[in-house]
Amino acid sequence: MITIYIFIVGLCFGSFANVIIYRFPRKISIISPPSFCIFCKKKLSFFDLLPIISYTVLLGKCRYCRKPINLRYPLIECICAIIFVVNFTLYPVIMFVPLTILAFVLLCVASIDYDTQIISDVFIIILAITGIFWLIFAEFLGIMHNIPQNILQNALIAVLVGALPLWIIDKLTLLFLKQDGFGYGDIKLMGVVGLFLGWQLILVAYLFAFVAGGAVATVLLATKQAKPGQYIAFAPFLAIGIMLALWFGKFFIFL
């Protein structure tokens, strides 16, 4: 029953993520106006906003103008719910909260970057604040239980390990190819994620991200959906790498 409850809560947060993903790049308040159809601008009722259920009952169309609703909306709701359940299954409650905040923000960042190729500093600041508070709390718990973990020192190393690889690649690309390799949003994102993962898992996250990004880029080039030198949003692949590192990274560390 608890797992079902967590899944439902995840669906609701996924619905909220959809609001952020649509409104934030357009500089629309996430509070007002109430949810509306992006085509006919009709205000949506409570029954139009039930995660997954409304989309299924309405057959993927707006109740009022019958324009098709993007499949991404229920997909993001499902992804968010699955993330909530997996985090709840793998981690104790004390770690579930900060890691799920991380995952939720990554879901928003990845989707917005896919649409706009922009990572706002607002999301970076949210993650930085969450990560710092988590580290202070974890350090306090270590002191209370006489565990000398040097958490804050290790976190600083992880921030550098997170940011430096992309920064170095970007500078080398700029030097030899005369164009940016990565945006500074990607660099800052991986830096703050170091607060959550630690330097070892950050490296595993990079492994997953570059493998996924390379595979997709190869397919896009082979099918001529992208051209050599064309920029592709990398935050979605970083988000995938980070979550896979959180869930499976320990198996790579102890190989």
Side-chain angles (χ1 to χ4, degrees):
M1 291 299 295
I2 295 177
T3 302
I4 294 174
Y5 172 75
I6 295 297
F7 185 84
I8 294 173
V9 171
L11 286 177
C12 294
F13 271 89
S15 181
F16 180 53
N18 280 322
V19 173
I20 295 173
I21 292 164
Y22 177 80
R23 296 191 180 201
F24 190 85
R26 294 170 176 81
K27 302 186 186 319
I28 304 174
S29 169
I30 61 174
I31 300 175
S32 178
S35 295
F36 56 89
C37 172
I38 63 174
F39 299 109
C40 65
K41 309 303 180 184
K42 183 76 173 179
K43 177 182 175 182
L44 302 180
S45 69
F46 170 79
F47 297 103
D48 298 321
L49 299 172
L50 296 174
I52 303 298
I53 297 175
S54 296
Y55 184 89
T56 304
V57 171
L58 296 173
L59 301 177
K61 296 180 179 180
C62 172
R63 181 191 303 273
Y64 308 101
C65 67
R66 306 306 297 167
K67 291 287 182 66
I69 301 170
N70 197 315
L71 182 61
R72 188 167 76 172
Y73 290 103
L75 182 61
I76 286 177
E77 290 169 352
C78 285
I79 291 173
C80 193
I82 292 170
I83 288 172
F84 270 54
V85 170
V86 174
N87 279 356
F88 183 77
T89 302
L90 294 181
Y91 294 100
V93 174
I94 196 172
M95 295 179 66
F96 169 79
V97 174
L99 293 182
T100 303
I101 292 174
L102 168 64
F104 178 81
V105 173
L106 286 175
L107 182 60
C108 296
V109 166
S111 300
I112 293 174
D113 187 51
Y114 178 82
D115 292 334
T116 67
Q117 294 192 7
I118 295 174
I119 300 176
S120 172
D121 285 341
V122 172
F123 298 109
I124 303 298
I125 292 170
I126 291 172
L127 289 181
I129 293 173
T130 304
I132 290 170
F133 270 102
W134 158 244
L135 289 173
I136 292 173
F137 183 64
E139 182 80 12
F140 174 75
L141 286 180
I143 293 173
M144 288 291 292
H145 293 86
N146 297 315
I147 303 174
Q149 295 178 324
N150 297 319
I151 293 175
L152 298 180
Q153 179 181 341
N154 291 335
L156 179 59
I157 296 173
V159 169
L160 294 175
V161 172
L164 276 178
L166 293 185
W167 183 83
I168 292 172
I169 294 173
D170 179 68
K171 294 306 176 185
L172 291 176
T173 305
L174 190 61
L175 177 63
F176 292 106
L177 301 180
K178 307 304 180 184
Q179 66 180 42
D180 286 317
F182 292 97
Y184 278 92
D186 297 318
I187 297 170
K188 289 182 284 188
L189 176 64
M190 291 305 286
V192 296
V193 168
L195 298 173
F196 297 86
L197 267 63
W199 70 268
Q200 292 173 306
L201 287 181
I202 275 287
L203 295 178
V204 176
Y206 269 127
L207 173 64
F208 283 127
F210 279 113
V211 169
V216 171
T218 300
V219 172
L220 292 177
L221 289 171
T223 57
K224 298 183 179 180
Q225 297 182 55
K227 299 178 181 178
Q230 179 179 336
Y231 287 108
I232 299 175
F234 197 56
F237 304 111
L238 291 176
I240 291 171
I242 292 164
M243 294 312 301
L244 290 178
L246 277 175
W247 294 342
F248 309 111
K250 62 182 180 180
F251 300 111
F252 285 80
I253 292 174
F254 295 112
L255 282 178

